[in-house]
Structure formats: C-alpha cells, structure tokens
C-alpha cells in the first residue's frame, strides 16, 4: 500500500474529530414491524433479475443448503492510506472459496479523501460507492450527485460503476431514495434489519427492489413502507445487525466491537466474538440471509495516532473471519457482488459462473509509465493538490479550488509547461486510460484479463483463509495489495447529473485555455 506521508501531518488534528464523530449507525431496538411495514408483493409478478420481493427466503427458490453464505464487508467515510491499511489487515491475507481475494465496498465521501487511493482501490477490484460529498444526513441532490461527479473526475471511477449509496448517520428519507433512483443508482444500503432471524417477525430480508415500497425501517423513516416509495428496479440492501444475549433488545450494527454487550458498561472482545458467532450461526443454519461487517476504518486502525485501537480487538475480528471461513460455502463479498448473485441466483457450487466473483487482473505492462491506478505504473507522475484543509493526490489534475457540492468538478489548475490532464471517457476502463496523453491503451490483446480462478478445499470450502486471528495462527502475506479488476462495460451518464456535469466540463475546457473563472 502506498503511504502518502505528506498528507498525514496536514490532516492529523483536523481529521480525527471528524471521523470519530462519524461513529454512526447505532441501533437500539427493532426499527420495523409487520404492521408498520404493511408490505405486500406478488412473486408471480415481481421476478428476477429486475424485481424481487422482500423475503427471508433465498432468491430464485434455492434451498438454504444450496445457498452461499455471504459476509458483506463495507467501509464508510474518507479514503486515506491508513484507512485502507485498516481494511487490509482483515482482507489482504484471505481467499474466497474460488481462490480470489475478497472484495469490499467503500462508501466514500469527499472530506479528507485522497483521490489517487480511491483510484487504486477501485482498480484493485473493490467497489466504490457514494456517501455524499460532505457527510450530511438526509442529503440534497447536490450532495449525492456532486460526489458521484467528483469520484469520476478526480478518481477516474466510471460513472456506471458507482452503483450504491449509504446515507451518513444512516439518516435518509423517502426523498433520498427518490433522488437516488432518479440519478440511476442501482441500490441504497442505509436501512437496518434489526429483528433476529430466529424471530418469526424478522426483517432480515434478502436484498429487494422497491417496486412495492420499503419493508425496513418502517418505525423510523416517515413516508416509507405501506407500499411507498414505489421505485421499480431500485434495490435496497438491508444492513444486518448482530444480536447479543438480549436478542431483539441487544442489536449491534456498525462497528459492533465498540459496543458493550449484554447490558455491560464497556466493550468486551470475548463477549463480542461470542454474539457475532451466534448471530452468524443463526443466519447460516436458517435461510442464510447475509451478515455484514460494516466498518468505520479509523476505529480499527493500528497506525493512526491517538485512536487507541486495541490489537486484541483486531485479532478478535480476524478470529471471527477465520472461524466463519472454515464453514462450508462462506464468501466475503462487496454489495456489488451480493447483488450480482441475487439477480442471478445459482447454487454455491456454481458461483464462479458469475463474472463478479472471478479474480482477474488488467493486462498492463508493469514497466509502462501511465497514471492508471496501478502503483507500479503511476509512481512519480501523480498530481499533488495542496489544499490546506485536505490535500490529496490525483491522476487527473488538481482543480483550481477545492470541490464542493455546488461545484464538484472545478476548472483544472494546469502547471506552467504542462497540459491539462484528460478525464476518464465513457469508452475506456480506468486501468487502460492514460490521462496525461489522453488516450486508451486498450486493444483486443492488452484488454484481456488473466483469470486465476480455482477451487480450494473439498467441495469448494475455503480451508486456507485466515492466519492472523488470535487462535494461534500467524500466517503472513508477502504482497497484500494485488491489483485486479472486473469486466469492461459501456458507460452511460446517470440521469439527473447532466446539468452539473455540463457546467463542470465547460469549466475544465475554459480552465485548460487559461481563462476560467469560478462557475
């Protein structure tokens, strides 16, 4: 992982209170009920892949015993070297049953984010999703769409690849969901499933579309449920809580290792591990609804000064993952991968038939000097944007002033003697785009991906994952950062963002001519 040490001193003191206060996502009891939901959906009319009823049963009529058990891994807020290191300490040494390194979803906001690391993380195969520009709950369209535009402009994330959204503080409204659907996001993942799967009234539904309205958070979000809002084809991926010995009265959602279990007054790693295993087992032995590790990386960082993360807590989380991966058909996945399977559910034995689960690396010459999100290619050619509040690096040229919801893609500041860097076009994938030369290096041969898929263990069970837990394992990995990427796609700009993009593009053109002013 590239360590951008120049950034840390400038943001050390400003960043800590912002991200610590972002310990959001707590829940203290059920957030819905069958009566409050008033939910009705006809599975004969609502059919995959474009429609799915809210249901506790596996999609596609699969038997639970044929259904993969998914652990969804997500992170929220700023992307910095220490946040990716924090994620890597759980994922870098692991393999899924097909031998591929697990992927995860990073819900990214603007503040304090280092854009070149977003690029690198995406090119490494992970999902980049939207968390607003400035980390505000019940966000405006500018907050949502502005972040999408900035991620595309400054990190080179294809617009079509930014499929998901999570509301800061999990604070969303019916209007938020409508804004997301209008901007052609694929899914939201802000609602909670806060009733245990062992309860007959559980709200732990598999991901579902809002053709018939919401079925989660009906006690806490006005204007939802009872058939509203109707957003055909737009998906909700509930966030699944863990439960301690108190059952429905003891839910733990984001960063559960920070919570005190069973009514105690302080967190206890042993108690947390026990209820995490118990909740996982309830899901696994039931209808195999996914379970999630929803993290704020700062709270598990061992390298960020002043945070005080206990290594025993990190070991405990790894111990949970080590244990879970020893069970049959357990996969650590991103939301993007989960949704790819839900839309096309196949037995666990056939999961590798879905492209999203294969491990591939872009076929790019490692000696080529190109600013493309692959560290060996882009060393020495990044732009350093020295804004006082949050400096960052980017492959795509520094803006004249810091992006904001009102202007997410400001005119480019072109150093003397250089040319403006070219934004990612709609017909070239990030690892093959040269923003300095403004050309795609992709040909029929160099675009070929190297597929390294292979099963591990009997019947596809992963018996080799782990190695960093607190159970005596001391496995290591020589190269924790192995780039890979998914398939190329034809990209289309989402509806609802054309006006902002047009203004931004005009600004970039004028900026390249040296006559731009703030738009």
């Amino acid at each position: 992982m590239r360590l951008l040490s120049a950034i840390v001193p400038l943001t050390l003191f400003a960043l800590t209170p912002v991200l610590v206060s972002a310990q959001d996502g707590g829940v203290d009891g059920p957030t819905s009920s069958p009566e409050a939901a008033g939910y009705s959906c006809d599975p004969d009319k609502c059919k995959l892949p474009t429609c799915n009823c809210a249901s506790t049963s596996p999609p596609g009529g699969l038997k639970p015993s044929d259904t993969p058990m998914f652990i969804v891994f997500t992170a929220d807020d700023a992307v910095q070297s220490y946040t990716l290191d924090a994620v890597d300490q759980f994922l870098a040494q692991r393999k899924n049953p097909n031998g591929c390194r697990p992927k995860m979803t990073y819900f990214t906001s603007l503040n304090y984010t280092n854009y070149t690391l977003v690029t690198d993380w995406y090119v490494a195969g992970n999902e980049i999703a939207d968390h607003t520009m400035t980390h505000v709950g019940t966000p405006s369209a500018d907050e949502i769409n502005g972040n999408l535009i900035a991620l595309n402009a400054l990190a080179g994330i294809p617009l079509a690849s930014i499929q998901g959204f999570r509301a800061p503080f999990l604070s969303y409204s019916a209007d938020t969901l409508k804004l997301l659907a209008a901007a052609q996001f694929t899914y939201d993942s802000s609602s909670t499933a806060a009733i245990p799967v062992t309860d007959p009234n559980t709200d732990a539904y598999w991901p579902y579309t809002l053709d018939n309205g919401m079925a989660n958070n009906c006690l806490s979000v006005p204007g939802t449920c009872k058939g509203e809002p109707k957003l055909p084809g737009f998906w909700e991926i509930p966030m699944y809580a863990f439960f301690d010995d108190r059952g429905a009265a003891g839910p733990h959602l984001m960063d559960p290792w920070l919570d005190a279990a069973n009514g105690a007054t302080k967190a206890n790693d042993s108690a947390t591990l026990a209820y995490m295993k118990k909740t996982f087992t309830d899901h696994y032995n039931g209808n195999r609804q996914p379970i999630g590790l929803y993290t704020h990386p700062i709270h598990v960082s061992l390298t960020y000064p002043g945070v005080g993360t206990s290594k025993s807590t990190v070991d405990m989380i790894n111990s949970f993952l080590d244990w879970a991966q020893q069970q049959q058909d357990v996969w650590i996945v991103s939301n993007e991968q989960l949704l790819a399977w839900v839309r096309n559910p196949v037995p666990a034995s056939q999961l590798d038939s879905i492209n999203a689960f294969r491990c591939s690396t872009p076929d790019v010459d490692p000696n080529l000097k190109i600013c493309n999100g692959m560290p060996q290619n882009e060393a020495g050619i990044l732009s350093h944007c020295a804004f006082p509040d949050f400096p960052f690096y980017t492959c795509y040229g520094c803006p004249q002033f810091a992006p904001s919801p009102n202007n997410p893609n400001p005119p480019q500041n072109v150093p003397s003697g250089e040319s403006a860097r070219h934004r990612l076009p709609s017909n070239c994938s990030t690892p093959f785009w040269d923003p300095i030369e403004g050309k795609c290096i992709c040909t029929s041969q160099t675009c070929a991906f190297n597929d390294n898929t292979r099963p591990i263990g009997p019947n596809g069970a992963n018996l080799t994952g782990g190695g960093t837990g607190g159970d005596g394992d001391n496995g290591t990995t020589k190269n924790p950062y192995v780039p890979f990427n998914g398939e190329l796609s034809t990209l289309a700009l989402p509806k609802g963002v054309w006006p902002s993009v047009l203004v931004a593009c005009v600004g970039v053109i004028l900026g390249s001519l040296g006559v731009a002013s703030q738009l």
Side-chain angles (χ1 to χ4, degrees):
M1 179 60 58
R2 181 192 294 111
L3 293 176
L4 299 176
S5 57
I7 289 180
V8 174
L10 294 173
T11 62
L12 180 60
F13 298 107
L15 182 57
T16 301
V18 171
L19 290 186
V20 170
S21 68
Q23 163 48 17
D24 50 55
V27 59
D28 56 11
T31 58
S32 192
S33 69
E35 295 76 22
Y39 182 83
S40 177
C41 181
D42 184 351
D44 291 329
K45 296 179 180 179
C46 180
K47 295 184 177 182
L48 294 171
T50 59
C51 185
N52 196 39
C53 294
S55 173
T56 59
S57 298
L62 286 178
K63 296 185 298 183
S65 59
D66 291 332
T67 301
M69 181 68 210
F70 295 114
I71 301 174
V72 180
F73 198 107
T74 72
D76 285 17
D77 301 336
V79 176
Q80 288 274 356
S81 59
Y82 82 89
T83 68
L84 299 187
D85 289 343
V87 170
D88 257 345
Q89 67 189 337
F90 303 118
L91 300 184
Q93 79 282 357
R94 299 189 181 278
K95 303 291 184 183
N96 270 324
N98 63 349
C100 301
R101 172 180 161 167
K103 302 176 185 179
M104 54 81 68
T105 299
Y106 210 119
F107 290 97
T108 308
S109 52
L110 166 76
N111 290 354
Y112 307 104
T113 281
N114 184 4
Y115 280 100
T116 192
L117 293 182
V118 178
T119 311
D120 294 359
W121 203 240
Y122 169 76
V123 172
N126 300 288
E127 179 186 9
I128 300 299
D130 195 325
H131 199 48
T132 76
M133 289 202 81
T134 63
H135 203 272
V136 294
T138 55
S140 66
D142 284 347
E143 281 281 354
I144 296 170
N145 295 342
N147 200 38
L148 184 154
I149 295 167
L151 286 168
N152 175 254
L154 295 174
I157 311 301
L159 287 165
S161 293
I162 308 172
Q163 302 178 30
F165 176 83
R166 176 171 291 159
F169 316 107
L170 307 185
S171 177
Y172 69 96
S173 66
D175 284 341
T176 305
L177 300 173
K178 293 174 184 176
L179 288 172
L180 295 171
Q184 292 188 350
F185 282 82
T186 301
Y187 73 86
D188 169 72
S189 185
S190 306
S191 72
T192 59
I195 303 174
V197 293
T198 53
D199 189 308
N201 291 324
T202 185
D203 56 353
Y205 304 116
W206 283 88
Y208 60 94
T209 59
L210 300 194
D211 293 62
N212 298 279
M214 283 283 289
N216 293 87
N217 281 25
C218 302
L219 296 173
S220 55
V221 181
T224 63
C225 302
K226 299 189 184 299
E228 295 297 331
K230 288 184 173 61
L231 301 172
F234 182 75
W235 291 80
E236 182 64 31
I237 302 179
M239 299 173 67
Y240 305 94
F242 290 95
F243 299 89
D244 63 29
D245 292 346
R246 296 170 293 171
H252 304 272
L253 193 60
M254 299 198 77
D255 309 301
W257 34 87
L258 300 182
D259 297 345
N262 308 319
T265 57
K266 63 179 182 179
N268 179 287
D269 290 334
S270 296
T272 301
L273 179 60
Y275 75 65
M276 288 173 67
K277 286 184 175 181
K278 172 63 166 58
T279 304
F280 176 95
T281 301
D282 289 340
H283 282 236
Y284 187 85
N285 290 342
N287 283 319
R288 296 205 175 174
Q289 296 100 315
I291 198 72
L293 291 184
Y294 313 116
T295 73
H296 292 94
I298 192 170
H299 296 301
V300 287
S301 173
L302 295 174
T303 60
Y304 196 85
V307 173
T309 301
S310 169
K311 187 174 185 303
S312 67
T313 299
V314 172
D315 289 344
M316 181 275 295
I317 300 167
N318 268 315
S319 183
F320 168 75
L321 290 171
D322 292 348
W323 169 82
Q325 287 195 289
Q326 292 170 10
Q327 318 308 313
Q328 187 82 9
D329 297 328
V330 173
W331 294 69
I332 302 172
V333 299
S334 65
N335 275 331
E336 182 179 38
Q337 289 175 302
L338 171 64
L339 206 54
W341 181 85
V342 170
R343 286 167 148 174
N344 178 34
V346 296
S349 60
Q350 302 174 26
L351 199 56
D352 234 18
S353 66
I354 300 176
N355 289 331
F357 289 84
R358 296 174 179 169
C359 43
S360 302
T361 55
D363 188 8
V364 178
D365 182 351
N367 297 312
L368 188 66
K369 296 297 290 183
I370 177 175
C371 209
N372 68 339
M374 301 179 75
Q376 69 269 28
N377 295 127
E378 62 189 10
I381 53 177
L382 298 168
S383 297
H384 180 216
C385 310
F387 296 112
D389 291 336
F390 58 102
F392 59 84
Y393 285 82
T394 175
C395 275
Y396 293 90
C398 295
Q400 292 181 6
F401 44 84
S404 68
N406 291 331
N407 194 345
N409 186 9
Q412 197 173 146
N413 183 24
V414 184
S416 178
E418 297 184 15
S419 300
R421 296 199 175 184
H422 302 267
R423 301 297 193 234
L424 183 78
S426 63
N427 61 351
C428 190
S429 186
T430 308
F432 304 110
W433 176 245
D434 184 345
I436 298 176
E437 296 295 328
K439 66 179 182 180
C440 193
I441 66 169
C442 189
T443 69
S444 59
Q445 292 183 340
T446 60
C447 282
F449 293 113
N450 301 319
D451 192 352
N452 302 315
T453 300
R454 61 190 184 280
I456 295 178
N459 301 316
N462 182 9
L463 303 179
T464 61
T468 64
D471 295 332
D473 293 342
N474 60 356
T476 60
T477 177
K478 294 182 179 179
N479 184 12
Y481 188 70
V482 182
F484 55 88
N485 198 351
E487 295 184 321
L488 298 175
S489 60
T490 301
L491 308 181
L493 189 64
K495 293 185 300 184
V497 302
W498 271 113
S500 297
V501 171
L502 180 60
V503 170
C505 290
V506 170
V508 170
I509 294 171
L510 293 176
S512 68
L513 296 175
V515 298
S517 60
Q518 182 170 344
L519 299 179

